[in-house]
Amino acid sequence: MARLAQTAGLTDIQEEILATVRTFVDKEIIPHAQTLEHGDTYPADIVEGMKEMGLFGLTIPEEYGGLGESLLTYALVVEQIARGWMSVSGVINTHFIVAHMLKQHGTPEQKQKYLPRMAAGEVRGSFSMSEPELGSDVAAIRTRAVRGESGYTVNGQKMWLTNGGTSNLTAVLVKTDEGAEKPHQNLTTFLVEKPEGYGEVLPGLTIPGKIDKMGYKGVDTTEMVFDGFEIPAEQILGGVSGQGFRHMMDGVEVGRVNVAARACGIAIRAFELAIEYSQQRKTFGKPIVEHQAIAFKLAEMATKVEAAHLMMVNAARLKDSGQRNDVEAGMAKLIASEYCAEVTQEAFRIHGGYGYSKEYEIERLMREAPFLLIGEGTSEIQKTIISRGLLRDYQSRG
């Protein structure tokens, strides 16, 4: 039994789910990840396996056919999947976020329409906030939906859409004319149903081909282009326009816990590879783990893995309790992603020249870890969120 990244206080059901997922990762993901990643191949068989296990309905309430599990369970499952291959966790991440947004903010009709099919994995979710010139300023969104007699007409371009080609339900944040003074109050989330695939998938809606990336292979990342796309008003999440920013930020808090969990998973795997290799590789007549320089590296790596895991668990538990967790989620995402990059690089150094070879798994992790420094908000954005939250709680009275 591994010593690191253990979680106290789990239920028997949570332990059973995690044991099942861990076995699935060891048998079905890790042995195939290298080949699939190098070929930038979508992990279709692995995804089918996750559907059979019910993972697409992990957090969806039982009344809609899901397992009704907590954000903590979801985060620990993601941690294990990312330990196998981060791209697989990307397949379910956006799905979970859309399911959470529907569960928390959808109308009864929207919940009944989508959640049962999402739990079965028949409807797969993705979400889109970013645009080509947007960066971190969500309120500066340019994609616009204009109200007409029979619904809305959408024009604009969205960017960095994970699962853009393989999903069939996308939550899209766009600008609507609400007349509000604050920019974020003029944003609305639409639920866009579409076929899977690329090109013009619907009249006025185009999903260009996959964006070629340094890492995060296998999972598709695309743009989403609207050109006179017509959508009815009942596809507004929650049925009320102008609430999109609030809906998306709730989803992003879940997403930040997810990114922290993914970072923990990669860091765990990097540590596993490093400690195994250091016991096998010999220099100067003994395994390199017996050299103090390597032993100290492993000690620091393990400490960072444990610290990141604990902060991720704390953020997930706070969200589950109904408390505000923007600061804690930001802290968890910040430290987990930064530590992930550091632990992965140390594992790379321990491997020496072999770490630069595509034959070794650590080479893939070196290309995957940097993505987590950016996804769901950069480290600088997390520091902004954290500092604002601290000032809110420690407001000077003098």
Side-chain angles (χ1 to χ4, degrees), residues 11-87:
T11 66
D12 290 342
I13 293 176
Q14 287 175 315
E15 293 280 13
E16 183 179 346
I17 291 172
L18 287 175
T20 301
V21 171
R22 193 178 297 115
T23 300
F24 179 78
V25 168
D26 288 340
K27 291 184 176 181
E28 304 297 333
I29 298 182
I30 289 177
H32 307 290
Q34 289 292 90
T35 300
L36 292 170
E37 200 274 345
H38 290 165
D40 198 7
T41 304
Y42 186 77
D45 290 342
I46 293 173
V47 172
E48 285 301 312
M50 292 195 297
K51 285 171 64 175
E52 292 175 8
M53 293 167 65
L55 292 187
F56 283 93
L58 186 64
T59 61
I60 293 174
E62 293 181 13
E63 64 185 291
Y64 298 108
L67 298 178
E69 275 295 327
S70 63
L71 175 60
L72 175 61
T73 307
Y74 150 78
L76 295 175
V77 165
V78 166
E79 181 181 57
Q80 283 301 317
I81 292 174
R83 172 181 154 265
W85 183 19
M86 186 183 74
S87 293

Side-chain angles (χ1 to χ4, degrees), residues 256-306:
R256 285 181 179 137
V257 173
N258 169 276
V259 171
R262 283 200 266 181
C264 288
I266 290 180
I268 291 167
R269 186 59 181 162
F271 174 81
E272 290 174 348
L273 293 171
I275 199 166
E276 180 181 5
Y277 181 82
S278 66
Q279 294 174 76
Q280 297 170 351
R281 177 80 165 100
K282 292 183 178 180
T283 61
F284 303 101
K286 60 184 178 181
I288 62 173
V289 72
E290 295 182 18
H291 296 292
Q292 190 179 71
I294 301 299
F296 280 10
K297 283 182 184 293
L298 291 169
E300 292 176 0
M301 291 162 67
T303 302
K304 289 175 179 179
V305 167
E306 189 72 2

Side-chain angles (χ1 to χ4, degrees), residues 5 9 15 27 41 49 79 101 154 193 219 221 236 250 297:
E15 293 280 13
K27 291 184 176 181
T41 304
E79 181 181 57
M101 291 167 64
V154 185
E193 285 191 72
V219 63
T221 304
I236 293 174
D250 184 26
K297 283 182 184 293

Side-chain angles (χ1 to χ4, degrees), residues 177-376:
D177 295 316
E178 307 299 326
E181 291 184 9
K182 296 182 179 180
H184 69 272
Q185 294 176 342
N186 292 301
L187 299 175
T188 299
T189 299
F190 281 88
L191 300 170
V192 177
E193 285 191 72
K194 67 177 187 63
E196 297 179 29
Y198 303 95
E200 189 172 11
V201 294
L202 289 173
L205 176 59
T206 299
I207 306 294
K210 296 194 299 183
I211 297 170
D212 193 16
K213 309 181 295 289
M214 176 177 75
Y216 204 25
K217 303 282 189 177
V219 63
D220 48 297
T221 304
T222 74
E223 300 172 65
M224 192 176 209
V225 181
F226 297 96
D227 185 9
F229 178 70
E230 303 287 341
I231 188 167
E234 56 261 32
Q235 291 303 110
I236 293 174
L237 178 63
V240 179
S241 61
Q243 302 296 310
F245 184 80
R246 180 172 63 88
H247 296 161
M248 280 285 180
M249 290 305 102
D250 184 26
V252 165
E253 282 187 12
V254 171
R256 285 181 179 137
V257 173
N258 169 276
V259 171
R262 283 200 266 181
C264 288
I266 290 180
I268 291 167
R269 186 59 181 162
F271 174 81
E272 290 174 348
L273 293 171
I275 199 166
E276 180 181 5
Y277 181 82
S278 66
Q279 294 174 76
Q280 297 170 351
R281 177 80 165 100
K282 292 183 178 180
T283 61
F284 303 101
K286 60 184 178 181
I288 62 173
V289 72
E290 295 182 18
H291 296 292
Q292 190 179 71
I294 301 299
F296 280 10
K297 283 182 184 293
L298 291 169
E300 292 176 0
M301 291 162 67
T303 302
K304 289 175 179 179
V305 167
E306 189 72 2
H309 174 82
L310 291 171
M311 292 195 73
M312 179 270 290
V313 168
N314 179 58
R317 282 182 161 150
L318 274 175
K319 187 76 170 177
D320 282 331
S321 71
Q323 298 182 60
R324 186 169 183 173
N325 83 329
D326 55 338
V327 170
E328 289 77 12
M331 286 179 170
K333 194 274 176 184
L334 171 65
I335 200 167
S337 61
E338 293 286 351
Y339 277 178
C340 173
E342 293 171 14
V343 168
T344 302
Q345 186 173 88
E346 291 294 3
F348 170 78
R349 290 180 173 184
I350 287 172
H351 279 75
Y354 290 106
Y356 207 64
S357 167
K358 286 197 172 186
E359 180 182 348
Y360 283 74
E361 195 175 337
I362 190 63
E363 181 271 342
R364 169 170 61 82
L365 301 188
M366 279 291 291
R367 289 184 288 103
E368 291 177 340
F371 168 75
L372 300 172
L373 298 170
I374 301 167
E376 309 297 3

Side-chain angles (χ1 to χ4, degrees), residues 81-126:
I81 292 174
R83 172 181 154 265
W85 183 19
M86 186 183 74
S87 293
V88 179
S89 67
V91 172
I92 58 174
N93 173 39
T94 58
H95 178 84
F96 280 139
I97 292 175
V98 176
H100 173 80
M101 291 167 64
L102 274 163
K103 180 178 67 174
Q104 295 298 113
H105 309 291
T107 65
E109 293 79 13
Q110 289 169 346
K111 293 177 184 180
Q112 193 59 53
K113 181 178 181 181
Y114 294 118
L115 289 179
R117 290 188 292 152
M118 293 186 79
E122 297 169 6
V123 170
R124 302 252 292 281
S126 59

